[in-house]
Amino acid sequence: MSEIEIKNLSKKFKENVVLDGINLSINKGDVIAVIGPSGTGKSTLLRCIDRLETPESGTIDLAGLHVDLSARGNHKAIRELHQRTGMVFQSWNLFQRKTALQNVMEGLITVKKLPKAEAEKIAREQLANVGLADRANHYPKHLSGGQQQRVAIARALAMQPELILFDEPTSALDPELVGEVLDTIRKAAQEGYTMLIVSHEMNFVRNVANRVLFLENGHIVEDGTPAEIFGHPKSPRLREFISKIDRLQAPEYSI
Amino acid sequence: MGKLFDVKMVFTNIPQILVYLPVTMELAISAMAASLVLGLLLAIIKEKKMPVLTPIVNLFISIIRGTPVLVQLYVTYFGIPMVQKYIAMQNGTTYNASAVPPILYAFVALAVNQSAYNAETFRSALQSVDRGQIEAATSLGMSGWQILTRITLPESFAVALPNLGNAFISLIKGTSLAFVCAVVDMTAAGKIIGGRTYRYFEVYVSLALIYWVITIVVEQAMKLIEKKMAIPDEVPVVQGSENATEVQRAAAV
Ligand SMILES: Nc1ncnc2c1ncn2[C@@H]1O[C@H](COP(=O)(O)OP(=O)(O)OP(=O)(O)O)[C@@H](O)[C@H]1O
Ligand SMILES: [Mg+2]
């Protein structure tokens, strides 16, 4: 049986149907990339799974936890879902009035209720893990975008979530900072974290993901290994999407 | 008749007036403290758009902001005893007006008045907190209360601080109206001195000087607090942390 089971997830904004009965099984240790054209609902999918957005229908099952994502008022189950999943945002969303160390400690103290000394120990380890041991006392405004995103990753990993959702973690970054963040994510993937990553970095997706979903018009149109998706795309829409992306990401040919 | 303007008297009045400085400051500080709590409550009700309560809060704020504080002081001064009399009549007990110290009326009126203004200040500060941080806190699994107290409030308090400082200064000046509730504050004491000496002009100049100095002191104190609340420009150096000092040195090179 799969570790995580998402069933019949549908979300619309007014008349605009963004997700149309998505089903998704995720195995432990899976690194799943979600690709697709702009505006197809990749962010919405992640935000519904983490219940930052309330869908019209949909359930998620984690070991021993069943959550009706469309229900309102089931605060206890939703909070448990939040505790057991993590999210890394496109725009980092660090707590501006807290240092890097305090950002990572926050969840450990308030949610996991760890004693301060223990939370600090874990937070320092996590910062060291993302290569920022020497930036513990820096506030977000003292950090580069890439460093802020690595703190955000450390903050998410410190909670040891069963599933981490990455929503275009590098697309708000200057090109020279993308590499350090992707390396950090790659490292977390190798450590065995289960991940769902929305990304336009196709080389990264090819090398790190073990599974790729192509999302379009509210459906998972294709679901396969990177070799299948990039080597043998079945649907014409995916073929078109890949050729467009390849053209964008191979600047040497466009000169 | 002596001199037209007795400069010396302006200064000899000051110690006599300052005897009542504690009354003025007690009233200003307690009313401010209460108005911060009440104002924040009102702001949260409006911000969360709580049913039933929100229109009541809107009406309350509209009335308070649409009437002079002097009128509000009179309404409180005459209104509270009427309510108490009514309650006493209902319970068949006797009502003793002198049991209520006058400063309480002024405190209630000023606190209620200020809370309406603070509510607006807090609300726009709450709105200025970016959604991203709240979503990050939510996705960590923090409760609504934890997010409010640990993320939203510190963030919005820093934003609201300059406005709250100005509010406190105008509240201090507003306490000079407390005489209508029979409170003897600095201004009332000044009036009494004036009545005794027939030198009203001098005593009001004394008062002006005192309020002005208080305002300057409070302004400076607010600046200090603002500076303390601001995120430091430099990376803070933590005592005993080798790494931090090294980083600072590296940054300085
Ligand atoms: N809060 C919202 N209110 C109304 N419509 C929304 C909202 N959020 C997203 N949408 C719409 O839902 C659709 C999917 O948006 P979403 O952000 O999930 O796309 P995406 O695949 O992440 O795109 P991108 O690659 O550009 O980030 C879009 O048409 C968008 O306009
Ligand atoms: Mg998106």
Side-chain angles (χ1 to χ4, degrees), chain A residues 14 30 51 83-84 186 194 222 231 253:
Chain A
K14 301 248 166 63
D30 263 351
R51 199 25 167 68
Q83 291 176 21
R84 292 174 59 176
R186 192 194 317 260
T194 310
E222 286 196 39
Y253 299 121

Side-chain angles (χ1 to χ4, degrees), chain A residues 11-14 16-19 34-47 53 90 167-168 171 198 200 215:
Chain A
K11 171 73 188 171
K12 59 181 179 191
F13 293 104
K14 301 248 166 63
N16 180 11
V17 178
V18 178
L19 302 174
V34 182
I35 61 172
S38 180
T40 45
K42 304 182 295 296
S43 299
T44 306
L45 174 65
L46 263 51
R47 293 173 58 80
E53 211 81 67
Q90 187 173 352
D167 188 7
E168 298 196 35
S171 56
V198 174
H200 290 301
L215 194 70

